Amino acid sequence: RSRSGTLLAANNAEPLFIDPSNAEDIQDFSTVRNVYDGLTQWNKSYSAAEPALALSWTSNSSATEFVFRLRPGVKFQDGTPFDSTAAKTSLLYYIPNNWGLLLANLKSIDDSHPLTLKLQFSAPSPDLVRNMNWIKMISPKLIEQKAVAQRAVGTGAFAFDSWTHGQKITLSANPDYWNAS
C-alpha cells in the first residue's frame, strides 16, 4: 500500500537537533521518530523491544555478542539500500555523539553478510536490544556528506522535505515505507 500526503503537527518549540544521534527533547524526537527507524522499536505498551529494521536477534549468555537478522529490501529515502554495512556506518556515527553511550564497550562490528549484523562488546551489554530502540539508522550517504545536522534521511514513514528555521519542518509520506501496513 502506497502512502502519500504531508504530516502537519504543531510543537511549542523548534527542534534543536534533527540529527538522531544528538536529539535531546520532545521537539527533536517528534521529527526524528517520523523520519528514522531503528533496528528495534518499542511495542505498543512501551514495555519491550520488538522487530523493526531487524527481523530478529540473538545474544550469547554473557550479553557480549549480539546477532541481528536484518529486514531485506529496505531502502533509505535517498534510494540507498539498508544493509549491514549501512547499519555499521550508523552505529559508528553514533559513538562520538550524545547517544553513543548506548554503545559503550562496543569492540567490533561484523558486516560481512548484508543481512546479518554481528556486534561484540568487551563487557556485558544486557540492555543493548532495548537501547537499540533509541539508535536510528541514518543514510550512509548523508553521513558521508557530513549533512546529518542539516537534513534527515532515514527509512521511516515520512521523508524530510525542508526546514525553515523558526517556522516549520516539512515532511512528506514515504511511498516506499517498509512497514506500510
Side-chain angles (χ1 to χ4, degrees):
R1 182 175 157 221
S2 180
R3 293 179 178 218
S4 62
T6 301
L7 174 65
L8 178 62
N11 280 329
N12 63 353
E14 180 173 49
L16 296 174
F17 301 102
I18 60 172
D19 176 343
S21 73
N22 286 317
E24 293 182 347
D25 59 28
I26 192 69
Q27 288 80 21
D28 299 350
F29 288 115
S30 67
T31 299
V32 166
R33 70 186 167 114
N34 286 293
V35 175
Y36 294 101
D37 294 312
L39 296 180
T40 63
Q41 62 191 11
W42 292 109
N43 64 8
K44 290 184 186 200
S45 64
Y46 289 90
S47 60
E50 66 180 17
L53 293 175
L55 292 170
S56 64
W57 52 86
T58 57
S59 68
N60 65 1
S61 60
S62 62
T64 57
E65 296 177 0
F66 293 81
V67 177
F68 292 88
R69 303 285 179 219
L70 305 181
R71 188 175 297 279
V74 175
K75 291 187 184 286
F76 288 95
Q77 294 143 355
D78 63 8
T80 304
F82 170 73
D83 59 15
S84 61
T85 301
K88 178 179 181 178
T89 300
S90 288
L91 296 177
L92 292 174
Y93 177 78
Y94 264 78
I95 290 172
N97 294 312
N98 290 351
W99 288 99
L101 60 99
L102 298 176
L103 297 167
N105 302 310
L106 181 62
K107 188 164 104 176
S108 68
I109 303 172
D110 178 352
D111 64 338
S112 59
H113 185 280
L115 295 177
T116 304
L117 183 70
K118 297 178 182 178
L119 306 179
Q120 188 170 37
F121 292 83
S122 59
S125 188
D127 294 327
L128 179 72
V129 172
R130 189 181 70 215
N131 289 346
M132 292 306 250
N133 295 332
W134 299 103
I135 297 175
K136 306 302 183 187
M137 297 295 109
I138 304 167
S139 169
K141 284 183 184 177
L142 193 66
I143 293 171
E144 181 182 306
Q145 295 166 354
K146 300 183 185 324
V148 183
Q150 291 81 36
R151 295 190 318 275
V153 181
T155 59
F158 290 88
F160 177 87
D161 287 334
S162 64
W163 185 358
T164 306
H165 289 275
Q167 293 182 25
K168 66 181 178 177
I169 292 177
T170 304
L171 308 177
S172 53
N174 176 2
D176 300 319
Y177 186 46
W178 61 269
N179 191 18
S181 57

